[in-house]
Amino acid sequence: MQLLPEGARRLAAWCAVILLVAGVGWVGVQLCGELRTAVVPVLLALLGTALLGPLHRRLVKVGVNRSLAAGITCVAVVAVVGGAVYIVVAALLDTGDEIVASLKRAAQSIAAHFGAAGTSLDDLASNAKELLTKFGGTAASNVISGVSVVGESIAMAVLALLLVFFLLRDSHRVAGLLRSLAPGGTADTVEAMARRAFEAVEGFMRGTTLIAFIDAVCITVGLLILGVPGAVGLGALVFVGAYIPYLGAFISGALAVLVALADRGFVIALWALGVVAAVQVLEGHVLQPAIQSRTVQMHPAVVMLTITGGASVAGILGMLLAVPLTAAAFAVVHELRSRYAPDTPGPGSGLPQP
């Protein structure tokens, strides 16, 4: 190594570090894949705890016992999530055939102008149920030990709910546990990193939920005014898609415009496009800065790469979990930089420090 120039040695050292980190990351991903029935509920419980933490703290603050407050919070989330799932599923079942029929008419209209591209879209709309059936069969064939997808999902949901209860009830003990597990002299750093990561996830979950609700309401009202069929179902898709930044909004918005084009014509489709674009501008320039101003802000390119990586690792679930986990990682990095790079300007500083 001494025969190599300084630049080559530095490059070799960085390559070794990158390979080591990549190897550790790959092993971690493989372990999470093998233990997904335990890992997924933990991650979902952390997201649920971040979303429900303020409600639990408020109940405790007014004098409610911690265990009772955690139980009330869990019952409330079951009622809200169950009601939301029922509304979404009912809306999609009531308007699903209508949306598919509208997509087929849109595909036929596009095929008349663009040929093969529209024909492919028509085939996709015609075979939507068959594609979903095949996807479900593929997913079911991959479940370990012959457990059905529905049974595994229910078991993970119940485990996640129980973990949410315990995390809420014992949240005041987490800091002490982390400090006791941290190596000597690093307790303060470990606690600060954990707090920053959890605050980032908490801000992301609360902000995204509120933004998703506002987006869904605005787009649903706009589609109802325009008389677009399946407006409630399309609004439900907008709400769910909002948890996948950029990509989810694009897909749900494009679907709404296609349905409007098929059923109401070109002019109404342009109005629907205007509604979707206006809501996205409102989100990007008003809602995101105002609601998520305290969360870790990431560049859109980083978000897209994160979503793509999450999808390649764990499909739809990976897309949902990728952004909050990356936000937590960014928060940890920022905390480390603030501690070990004292010459770096603070967050409120506009000029470099002398």
Side-chain angles (χ1 to χ4, degrees), residues 82-201:
V85 170
Y86 174 79
I87 293 173
V88 171
V89 172
L92 292 179
L93 288 178
D94 291 340
T95 61
D97 292 337
E98 193 173 7
I99 292 175
V100 172
S102 298
L103 284 176
K104 289 182 63 178
R105 290 194 295 271
Q108 292 167 359
S109 176
I110 294 174
H113 294 86
F114 299 101
T119 304
S120 300
L121 184 59
D122 186 17
D123 293 338
L124 179 62
S126 302
N127 300 320
K129 292 184 178 180
E130 182 181 352
L131 290 173
L132 289 175
T133 302
K134 290 182 178 180
F135 175 79
T138 303
S141 64
N142 292 330
V143 177
I144 58 175
S145 302
V147 181
S148 67
V149 175
V150 175
E152 186 180 17
S153 300
I154 293 175
M156 289 192 296
V158 172
L159 179 57
L161 184 63
L162 292 174
L163 289 174
V164 168
F165 172 81
F166 290 118
L167 287 174
L168 288 173
R169 189 193 68 177
D170 300 327
S171 57
H172 61 298
R173 301 177 181 175
V174 173
L177 176 62
L178 288 176
R179 296 183 69 89
S180 65
L181 296 176
T186 62
D188 291 339
T189 302
V190 171
E191 181 182 354
M193 290 165 53
R195 288 187 183 278
R196 286 287 295 267
F198 188 77
E199 288 172 0
V201 175

Side-chain angles (χ1 to χ4, degrees), residues 220-232:
T220 301
V221 171
L223 296 179
L224 286 173
I225 293 174
L226 294 174
V228 177
V232 177

Side-chain angles (χ1 to χ4, degrees), residues 46-47 50-51 196-212 240-246 283 288 291-298 303 306-307 319-328:
L46 290 174
L47 297 183
L51 182 61
R196 286 287 295 267
F198 188 77
E199 288 172 0
V201 175
E202 186 177 56
F204 173 84
M205 290 299 298
R206 285 188 294 165
T208 301
T209 301
L210 181 57
I211 291 172
V240 175
Y243 284 93
I244 304 176
Y246 305 110
E283 175 186 336
Q288 287 280 1
I291 295 175
Q292 291 190 332
S293 58
R294 295 186 179 183
T295 62
V296 178
Q297 301 297 322
M298 293 182 291
V303 174
T306 300
I307 293 174
M319 296 171 71
L320 293 173
L321 295 174
V323 178
L325 293 180
T326 305

Side-chain angles (χ1 to χ4, degrees), residues 219 257 271-283:
I219 290 180
V257 173
W271 278 102
L273 178 61
V275 169
V276 173
V279 171
Q280 295 307 315
V281 170
L282 175 67
E283 175 186 336

